[in-house]
Amino acid sequence: MAQRSALVNYASSIIGNRVQAEDLVQEAWLRFDEASKGRFLEDATGYLYRIVRNLALDSKRRDAQESRVTRAADYDVIANISADEAPDPETVALYKDDYARLMQALGELPERTRIACEMHRFGGAKLREIAEYLDISVPLAHKLVADGIDHCRERLGGWP
């Protein structure tokens, strides 16, 4: 609970909605509590941040999908949007390993570097926002993001 405010800020930086971020943090805590029953977690805070990040990214994708669907006036357009968004099994299999390697690479980073990298690459946060959130200078935020991206590129053999 000591990290609650920071987690809400982190989720809010990804989805851009503080009220929804509060709900995500609550959901993350419930999932964390269930997953950690009966076992010691070495980096519990990092694990909680990953849960929040994953929930926030899922929520952002779901909201974007719902927004496209609700803007579509024609049923055929809605059907095509939904069909186009669902990846085929081959695509899922192809990117599942890449995703796992990316998550592993991010997990290897120091917490502050990982947060800065995730906020920038996944949340679209600007360096100024990252610096403010982490209470660091903008040049240090830039260095953390660059270091995180370099590490992930090295681990994945290239990352955009």
Side-chain angles (χ1 to χ4, degrees):
M1 291 309 281
Q3 297 291 327
R4 187 178 187 288
S5 179
L7 288 165
V8 170
N9 289 338
Y10 178 55
S12 183
S13 73
I14 295 172
I15 60 175
N17 182 325
R18 187 152 184 90
V19 173
Q20 191 177 3
E22 299 257 355
D23 291 341
L24 285 175
V25 170
Q26 181 67 30
E27 175 68 21
W29 174 254
L30 293 173
R31 290 184 184 200
F32 172 81
D33 186 48
E34 183 64 32
S36 64
K37 282 186 179 171
R39 38 180 232 178
F40 173 75
L41 298 175
E42 189 173 310
D43 184 18
T45 302
Y47 184 57
L48 198 50
Y49 269 92
R50 280 193 293 277
I51 294 170
V52 168
R53 181 200 63 232
N54 290 342
L55 287 172
L57 292 173
D58 288 347
S59 176
K60 192 172 182 175
R61 277 191 294 271
R62 188 174 48 255
D63 288 350
Q65 172 70 9
E66 287 173 4
S67 176
R68 283 192 298 264
V69 168
T70 57
R71 282 194 315 254
D74 186 336
Y75 177 78
D76 292 333
V77 173
I78 293 171
N80 288 334
I81 288 173
S82 297
D84 290 344
E85 291 298 321
D88 60 89
E90 183 179 333
T91 302
V92 171
L94 178 66
Y95 290 106
K96 186 176 181 181
D97 290 339
D98 288 345
Y99 177 77
R101 288 190 358 232
L102 174 61
M103 292 298 105
Q104 181 178 359
L106 287 169
E108 295 167 354
L109 294 171
E111 183 176 3
R112 197 167 62 165
T113 304
R114 179 184 47 75
I115 291 169
C117 189
E118 289 173 350
M119 285 179 72
H120 182 69
R121 295 302 285 207
F122 300 132
K126 299 195 178 336
L127 293 175
R128 178 186 44 76
E129 296 168 329
I130 295 168
E132 213 172 89
Y133 176 76
L134 294 174
D135 197 27
I136 58 176
S137 67
V138 173
L140 180 55
H142 182 266
K143 180 177 178 3
L144 292 176
V145 169
D147 289 350
I149 291 171
D150 288 345
H151 177 78
C152 290
R153 277 191 180 127
E154 189 177 294
R155 288 291 195 203
L156 274 73
W159 185 41

